Amino acid sequence: MNYKDTVFLPRTDFPMRGGLPTKEPQILQNWQDIDIYKKLREARKDAPRFTLHDGPPYANGQLHIGHALNKILKDVVNRSQSMLGKNANYVPGWDCHGLPIEWKIEEQYRKKGKDKDAVPVAEFRQECRDFAVHWLGVQSEEFQRLGVLGDWQNPYTTMAYAAEAKIAEELGRILMDGSLYRGAKPVMWSPVEKTALAEAEIEYEDYTSTTIYARFPVTHAAHAALEGASIIIWTTTPWTMPANRAVAYGDDISYQVTEVLAANDGALCGKGDVVVIADDLADSVISAIGASETKIRAHVMGREMTGSVAAHPMAGHGYDFDVPLLAGSHVTTEQGTGFVHIAPGHGVEDYELAHLKHGIAVPDTVGEDGVILPHLPVFGGMHVLRDNAKIAEIMAEHKGVIGIGKLVHSYPHSWRSKAPLIFRNTAQWFVSMELHGLRDIALGELAKTKFYPAAGQKRLTSMIAQRPDWCLSRQRTWGVPLTIFAHKQTGEPLRDPAVHARIVEAMKAEGADCWFMSEASRFLGDDYNPDDYEKITDILDVWFDSGSTHSFVLEDRDDLESPADLYLEGSDQHRGWFHSSLLQSCSTRARAPYKAVLTHGFVLDEQGRKMSKSLGNVVTPQKVMGQNGADILRLWVVSSDYYNDLRIGAEIIKRTTDNYRRFRNTLRYLLGALDGFDADEKLGYADMPELEKWVLHRLASIDAAIREMTETYDFHGIFSELHQFCNSDLSAFYFEIRKDTLYCDNPDATARRACRTVMDEVFNRLTAWLAPILCFTAEEAWQSRHADINQSVHLRSYDPVPADWHNDTVAAKWAQIRKARQVVMSALETARNDGKIGASLQATPMVYILADMQAAFAGQDAASLFITSSATLSSDAAPDGAFRLDAIDDVAVVVAVADGEKCARCWKITPEVSADVDICGRCQDVVSAQS
RNA sequence: AGGCGCGUAGCUCAGUUGGUUAGAGCGCACGACUGAUAAUCGUGAGGUCGGCAGUUCAAAUCUGCCCGUGCCUACCA
């Protein structure tokens, strides 16, 4: 007779294969149909809040894998906080202003042969706005496809009128309190386009420069050897000489004071010249200036020059100021003379050394068209790029230069006009780091901020400690304007709250465009004469926009909290959003906008190389979602150490899919085993076998671990814990042991009811634990038992754990049992390899164990734990040939073949079965009860 | 070039304040089962812990240097 129909095999509709790429969109649709976001808000409206503030991605293209990593992590944080019972509202946002979009629109113009400067500002800005709207929509779709839950109907953007107005209002705060000031800074400037250029607009091409060796006669020598000598510098930009204000040396560089005894014909130097140059470069300098015979008078270390002063090469011709010698850490002896001429208006390092470090004023020497300003002696009216040779010659005539040459080198050019660029001093607006103690406030706040991982604190702290004042202005179009009126005479900004309030009000209604479109009088009102003021047309650094999100998102929305519990971004945002948000908030509110900061690494390919089109190793989230599903991507995130760089590629995706299948099959088995289970079948804790109590103990300890790891955002730990649980505890151990009970026992048998009661608990908890990670699969599994979509798994929280589940005594006992079981398994394998047995049910092991382990087995059916037909435990000494494992020497096993016949129903081998009865006693009872 | 990180089995990761023979899961190999079946179970083989040098009775762990690699910042006067 075939007994298969009398056996209670697992039964479920939950498919073994996920088919995620098609299943996930359906689940997504269901969530949208019931508006799960709103339902969750309603359900948690009185719960304590958890606010993860979304750092806005830039709205200018398709998502890449880094976006996916970031948003998945955020979603796992939010969903797991929600599972803890918190109200974790998530409001996604976008960064919309800025150069990349402006640039894209300009590119489109070029293709159409349109001139940007001929297009009205408002029209250009509208096109930028439209562009951002488009990509914002695309990205929103893709984020949602990843399973990210949030207020996608009402996201925030930095270009919303309210946001623009608020950003201007924030600027007003630092304008009114005086920490905003107008200063000067050298920037990359195109004399052709007459505008500042950003990094991305610069390309490097070979360019031939006139080079000069210029002479700075020492007027005050800190070291006697320098008396009467001249410091020699080398530069490729003779036009910066009028702007020279210092010369830098290297502290640790050895210099020589060398006298020229004879020179070649036509050389600019001559007998009697005494020059100071670096030892390492002496040969090349001497030959470059054409000296044929020289004599070293002395050697001087750079640091011995401290306090020395020189005269300008053009001293006596209108350049009659002191040129101090300063120590510069950037000075090298790779090229030149070992001295670097410092023009604070024409180089960032020059600016930092002369102006920021030594307080030397930055002179204006070059106009926006690249012409040296007319009031400058000798060189006024000359062009900085075209007239270099002329400048060099004039200087040589005045003995200011003792060598002229040419150099072909890589030089910055405009991406647009292809014209060479210069560094030019420009008026810019800054937030002072010191004036109102911004730096100290920020550092103090950082010390109070929790960092995940901890190293982030050091990184951000050292950046804040070292950074210069924040330059807020950009000579650009697509952004929030610096809503400032500067007095034409004094240059001072107008600090009138009433005027600024008018500006902000107008922007709320009309957007930032109104600043560009309106006459100054509209905002200045009757109190000021518009002719006295310059309306600044610069826009704000976009980092000020995104740095202000805490104000127009966290503070302005009732459903969010400020400061945020967490900011979570890639490690590049130490320099970016973490940084700008901190400074913005500290300058306006004297506190950090976040309580904690989490950073994740970057995504690399399988070999640990960065992804690039040329390497062909780019993995896109769209492709992974389309081929494997979003849950695979989500599982990949948590199975990686996301505090470090992550890797992804074909094999890693394959391994992730393997891991996914383990979770899926575990859920599937539970569903099958729980077929038809209802509340009446449940059994109380006291009535359960110890194995079930052990499983409940595991649930209790995993629950505690998961709650703790959720608080510390250790999702990788949660993944490991759950994976281990499904693999080792459930699949290979508990399920395996209980198959006989589940399949063959009578439905109302205590053991079977206990097993199903526990499996129900396991299922309930496992789905909740997995829900933040495998948000689709957990829902699919949950729904297959709770068909009402309104009972979504994501509306649940982690179930409370009854106190008596935690049971260390049971845990210790079962650790012993599993140890003995391991030896038995190994012994059975040996017997199997010897051909003695096939299935373990064919065996009956004799297990020799010590007294304490005997105690662990007390009351247990050892055979069912070993999945053998019978088993004997003995405290006798084991016979010589008994099987042992090296690592576990207190257990020995002798495997014998089980005695009897195979029960046709439960497949155990037992003497109860004979030629007359083909099933065992237990099975007879069950079968007869069925009919 | 500078700042901050990272480098443990084919893959993803654990490795507490330095202390027995460096662990887990997956994959792989072999085997079992055919009542989780495009599953499941068992057993096993894989590591000079990036390299070199040092401190120590003892180093994956501490120190230095080097190599590789990532993020950030800069530079080519």
Side-chain angles (χ1 to χ4, degrees):
Chain A
M1 173 176 174
N2 182 6
Y3 288 94
K4 183 151 183 165
D5 295 340
T6 72
V7 178
F8 310 106
L9 296 177
R11 206 168 59 188
T12 176
D13 294 332
F14 186 80
M16 180 176 286
R17 312 200 76 198
L20 300 182
T22 52
K23 182 64 69 58
E24 288 173 347
Q26 295 166 17
I27 296 173
L28 220 41
Q29 188 58 52
N30 289 340
W31 287 338
Q32 268 169 30
D33 291 346
I34 63 161
D35 199 346
I36 192 164
Y37 170 77
K38 214 168 248 163
K39 273 202 160 59
L40 192 53
R41 293 287 70 74
E42 184 57 28
R44 293 285 193 280
K45 65 179 194 299
D46 300 322
R49 279 182 182 169
F50 177 87
T51 301
L52 163 55
H53 182 34
D54 189 35
Y58 198 66
N60 74 333
Q62 213 103 41
L63 297 191
H64 60 245
I65 195 82
H67 288 120
L69 161 66
N70 177 257
K71 278 289 202 284
I72 287 172
L73 258 183
K74 284 171 176 165
D75 192 53
V76 175
V77 168
N78 284 319
R79 287 183 190 270
S80 59
Q81 288 291 329
S82 185
M83 282 289 171
L84 287 180
K86 304 236 186 79
N87 182 5
N89 187 18
Y90 178 63
V91 178
W94 277 273
D95 195 8
C96 301
H97 296 130
L99 184 67
I101 288 179
E102 200 171 312
W103 214 27
K104 263 270 162 3
I105 303 301
E106 283 187 40
E107 193 180 62
Q108 291 174 10
Y109 278 14
R110 267 193 300 278
K111 276 186 192 153
K112 294 184 217 155
K114 227 161 141 185
D115 178 12
K116 183 203 168 187
D117 295 333
V119 175
V121 172
E123 186 183 324
F124 181 79
R125 286 171 56 92
Q126 185 60 44
E127 292 198 58
C128 292
R129 184 174 289 274
D130 294 343
F131 184 90
V133 165
H134 167 74
W135 284 110
L136 192 153
V138 171
Q139 293 189 355
S140 176
E141 280 296 311
E142 292 178 335
F143 283 140
Q144 291 181 67
R145 176 63 187 84
L146 285 168
V148 179
L149 185 61
D151 196 357
W152 297 104
Q153 298 308 308
N154 306 289
Y156 78 84
T157 73
T158 56
M159 66 176 182
Y161 289 176
E164 290 184 330
K166 190 65 188 247
I167 292 164
E169 192 182 324
E170 293 293 315
L171 177 72
R173 291 191 186 216
I174 48 182
L175 172 64
M176 297 311 155
D177 78 7
S179 39
L180 187 74
Y181 70 92
R182 193 176 213 180
K185 190 187 170 184
V187 296
M188 275 291 180
W189 184 272
S190 169
V192 172
E193 286 114 330
K194 296 178 189 166
T195 180
L197 294 186
E199 181 70 28
E201 297 174 299
I202 297 166
E203 51 189 38
Y204 288 80
E205 276 170 41
D206 278 350
Y207 180 76
T208 305
S209 293
T210 299
T211 62
I212 54 171
Y213 289 90
R215 178 208 324 250
F216 290 74
V218 174
T219 55
H220 173 79
H223 189 283
L226 298 176
E227 300 271 7
S230 287
I231 306 295
I232 305 301
I233 65 95
W234 177 73
T235 181
T236 57
T237 51
W239 59 270
T240 58
M241 294 310 296
N244 172 278
R245 289 298 180 273
V247 170
Y249 58 83
D251 265 338
D252 298 322
I253 296 173
S254 174
Y255 295 88
Q256 56 183 244
V257 180
T258 291
E259 183 177 351
V260 177
L261 300 175
N264 299 332
D265 285 348
L268 294 171
C269 68
K271 185 170 174 354
D273 282 336
V274 181
V275 300
V276 187
I277 50 182
D279 286 339
D280 291 349
L281 292 159
D283 291 347
S284 72
V285 174
I286 287 166
S287 91
I289 63 176
S292 55
E293 205 185 331
T294 59
K295 184 183 135 197
I296 297 175
R297 278 193 184 175
H299 289 280
V300 183
M301 287 303 290
R303 69 174 68 85
E304 295 175 293
M305 300 180 190
T306 312
S308 299
V309 177
H312 193 276
M314 295 297 284
H317 306 283
Y319 296 87
D320 303 311
F321 44 82
D322 283 347
V323 178
L325 269 64
L326 308 174
S329 55
H330 64 291
V331 179
T332 66
T333 54
E334 279 163 29
Q335 221 178 355
T337 66
F339 289 104
V340 177
H341 113 83
I342 300 294
H346 298 292
V348 173
E349 286 188 327
D350 299 37
Y351 175 77
E352 285 171 358
L353 179 68
H355 182 69
L356 297 182
K357 198 164 169 194
H358 293 280
I360 295 171
V362 183
D364 263 333
T365 55
V366 176
E368 61 175 22
D369 52 358
V371 172
I372 296 176
L373 296 175
H375 69 269
L376 282 154
V378 188
F379 306 108
M382 294 187 188
H383 192 273
V384 297
L385 291 165
R386 289 194 288 273
D387 294 329
N388 272 315
K390 198 160 134 195
I391 292 168
E393 276 164 32
I394 293 170
M395 287 184 71
E397 281 166 22
H398 294 84
K399 303 280 181 204
V401 157
I402 59 166
I404 298 177
K406 295 258 181 238
L407 179 75
V408 179
H409 59 152
S410 167
Y411 192 84
H413 288 69
S414 166
W415 185 88
R416 248 194 292 178
S417 66
K418 310 296 177 193
L421 304 175
I422 60 170
F423 260 111
R424 177 175 175 261
N425 191 38
T426 53
Q428 304 289 349
W429 294 87
F430 297 85
V431 180
S432 168
M433 292 298 293
E434 325 298 345
L435 217 54
H436 291 331
L438 176 54
R439 193 186 311 274
D440 290 339
I441 294 169
L443 290 174
E445 287 297 290
L446 281 182
K448 290 189 281 183
T449 304
K450 181 98 179 124
F451 281 81
Y452 303 91
Q457 189 159 39
K458 192 177 168 189
R459 189 168 174 183
L460 233 189
T461 298
S462 71
M463 281 182 190
I464 296 291
Q466 292 178 321
R467 67 153 299 144
D469 288 353
W470 186 1
C471 179
L472 284 187
S473 47
R474 297 288 185 276
Q475 290 68 52
R476 285 283 145 193
T477 310
W478 177 227
V480 179
L482 276 99
T483 44
I484 296 173
F485 289 104
H487 195 272
K488 281 181 181 167
Q489 248 71 59
T490 66
E492 274 297 295
L494 176 64
R495 295 190 173 92
D496 184 333
V499 169
H500 209 261
R502 279 198 284 275
I503 298 168
V504 170
E505 279 313 305
M507 281 174 69
K508 275 184 193 164
E510 302 161 39
D513 286 1
C514 70
W515 174 257
F516 300 100
M517 313 280 289
S518 306
E519 292 299 325
S521 56
R522 175 181 179 190
F523 306 118
L524 287 173
D526 300 332
D527 300 333
Y528 305 95
N529 180 358
D531 295 339
D532 292 343
Y533 289 92
E534 174 195 2
K535 192 174 80 174
I536 302 299
T537 55
D538 291 353
I539 62 162
L540 277 162
D541 177 11
V542 287
W543 287 111
F544 191 83
D545 290 19
S546 58
S548 303
T549 55
H550 65 92
S551 73
F552 63 85
V553 182
L554 297 183
E555 287 178 9
D556 285 4
R557 284 186 64 136
D558 299 336
D559 55 354
L560 294 173
E561 205 82 59
S562 181
D565 290 290
L566 186 67
Y567 273 34
L568 186 167
E569 305 298 331
S571 60
D572 56 333
Q573 298 303 324
H574 286 106
R575 173 56 70 184
W577 194 54
F578 300 142
H579 192 114
S580 60
S581 297
L582 176 73
L583 289 188
Q584 203 285 359
S585 182
C586 287
S587 65
T588 54
R589 288 153 181 81
R591 68 163 194 217
Y594 39 67
K595 296 177 193 160
V597 167
L598 188 154
T599 50
H600 59 250
F602 273 65
V603 184
L604 310 173
D605 78 358
E606 219 139 27
Q607 273 78 251
R609 301 169 306 183
K610 73 165 81 181
M611 292 185 186
S612 72
K613 276 185 192 150
S614 56
L615 281 173
N617 57 356
V618 177
V619 177
T620 68
Q622 294 83 3
K623 193 173 165 192
V624 180
M625 283 193 287
Q627 292 184 344
N628 308 278
D631 269 358
I632 300 298
L633 220 37
R634 298 175 66 102
L635 193 60
W636 163 73
V637 169
V638 298
S639 62
S640 306
D641 173 15
Y642 44 79
Y643 288 143
N644 250 305
D645 289 341
L646 300 80
R647 299 181 181 201
I648 196 166
E651 179 174 1
I652 291 169
I653 292 170
K654 178 88 170 32
R655 293 291 87 82
T656 308
T657 308
D658 291 333
N659 288 333
Y660 172 82
R661 269 210 302 273
R662 167 57 59 169
F663 285 124
R664 187 173 181 91
N665 279 327
T666 302
L667 291 169
R668 181 168 185 267
Y669 190 75
L670 284 165
L671 285 166
L674 286 166
D675 180 44
F677 179 80
D678 64 44
D680 296 342
E681 197 178 324
K682 282 189 183 169
L683 211 63
Y685 183 82
D687 300 324
M688 296 210 182
E690 212 168 64
L691 178 55
E692 271 64 30
K693 288 181 177 169
W694 174 80
V695 174
L696 295 178
H697 169 80
R698 285 291 293 138
L699 289 179
S701 59
I702 293 168
D703 177 83
I706 284 182
R707 285 172 195 272
E708 195 186 324
M709 290 187 284
T710 300
E711 301 286 7
T712 55
Y713 314 116
D714 181 9
F715 305 111
H716 179 73
I718 293 177
F719 160 80
S720 300
E721 188 81 34
L722 292 178
H723 195 244
Q724 186 93 349
F725 179 58
C726 288
N727 253 310
S728 308
D729 295 338
L730 294 179
S731 194
F733 187 64
Y734 181 67
F735 290 171
E736 204 60 19
I737 291 168
R738 282 295 183 245
K739 275 178 187 171
D740 177 70
T741 304
L742 208 52
Y743 298 172
C744 300
D745 274 4
N746 208 43
D748 59 10
T750 305
R752 190 167 189 278
R753 286 177 57 194
C755 173
R756 300 232 294 173
T757 303
V758 162
M759 283 190 161
D760 183 50
E761 295 288 2
V762 170
F763 178 82
N764 291 342
R765 283 174 167 71
L766 193 56
T767 45
W769 290 336
L770 286 173
I773 299 167
L774 302 176
C775 67
F776 293 103
T777 302
E779 183 75 301
E780 186 192 353
W782 183 252
Q783 291 296 319
S784 77
R785 285 186 82 198
H786 305 83
D788 180 4
I789 182 69
N790 287 301
Q791 305 289 310
S792 166
V793 72
H794 299 293
L795 296 172
R796 299 174 55 205
S797 31
Y798 295 140
D799 294 335
V801 173
D804 52 1
W805 284 14
H806 185 87
N807 192 329
D808 287 330
T809 318
V810 166
K813 265 166 115 175
W814 285 79
Q816 290 282 82
I817 290 173
R818 291 186 78 170
K819 197 166 99 177
R821 187 174 185 269
Q822 194 189 334
V823 185
V824 174
M825 288 301 151
S826 210
L828 291 176
E829 185 65 17
T830 307
R832 197 171 284 134
N833 290 337
D834 292 346
K836 278 168 80 174
I837 59 165
S840 60
L841 281 174
Q842 291 169 17
T844 175
M846 172 72 97
V847 185
Y848 300 89
I849 46 179
L850 301 176
D852 60 329
M853 208 178 264
Q854 286 269 3
F857 276 97
Q860 299 302 326
D861 173 15
S864 74
L865 302 181
F866 302 146
I867 317 178
T868 52
S869 285
S870 56
T872 313
L873 302 177
S874 166
S875 50
D876 296 345
D880 279 351
F883 179 90
R884 288 175 189 275
L885 278 183
D886 289 347
I888 306 172
D889 56 7
D890 50 355
V891 180
V893 181
V894 174
V895 177
V897 175
D899 190 28
E901 295 297 319
K902 179 175 171 183
C903 169
R905 184 166 176 275
C906 73
W907 297 348
K908 277 188 193 168
I909 291 170
T910 162
E912 293 170 24
V913 178
S914 65
D916 303 327
V917 270
D918 59 354
I919 56 175
C920 68
R922 185 264 312 255
C923 287
Q924 285 176 37
D925 293 344
V926 178
V927 171
S928 56
Q930 279 180 31
S931 53

